[in-house]
Amino acid sequence: MADDTVRVWLVERTYSDDEQNLIILTYATPDGEHDFRKERALPSFSGSGRETTAALDVDPNNLGDVADPDIRERYAREASRMADEHEPDDAI
């Protein structure tokens, strides 16, 4: 992990309500206070090099704030579980 990045862990995978075949991957910081969202078309999940990993290292400027305390708590629990059970580059 570079000094100017923040590690985030996969905490949620949802289908978009607005567009077909779009999956939203949500990664969060271990404290659940910040998130990073990544949208991917369902067909892009196949093939090598397109794996979804347990964690990402992202620029802190690309993080959003998680305002809802219940969601922050849920994200923190899931990020902790992922960090305990997986290496950052594990395919999920």
Side-chain angles (χ1 to χ4, degrees):
M1 181 168 68
D3 290 339
D4 56 345
T5 61
V6 174
R7 177 154 295 157
V8 291
W9 293 88
L10 183 64
V11 295
E12 190 172 74
R13 189 181 327 211
T14 57
Y15 291 95
S16 172
D17 292 334
D18 299 335
E19 297 184 40
Q20 293 180 348
N21 296 324
L22 189 64
I23 294 179
I24 301 166
L25 302 171
T26 303
Y27 289 80
T29 55
D31 60 10
E33 296 206 8
H34 302 284
D35 65 1
F36 174 78
R37 292 178 184 241
K38 187 175 184 178
E39 295 181 355
R40 301 227 343 239
L42 188 58
S44 74
F45 278 89
S46 60
S48 62
R50 298 301 301 184
E51 293 177 331
T52 298
T53 57
L56 297 173
D57 297 327
V58 300
D59 184 319
N61 294 321
N62 292 332
L63 294 175
D65 294 327
V66 179
D68 184 306
D70 292 334
I71 293 175
R72 272 197 312 264
E73 184 179 321
R74 182 167 52 89
Y75 283 1
R77 276 194 318 268
E78 185 61 13
S80 177
R81 185 187 72 79
M82 291 293 285
D84 288 345
E85 294 180 11
H86 298 281
E87 293 297 319
D89 58 350
D90 282 354
I92 302 296

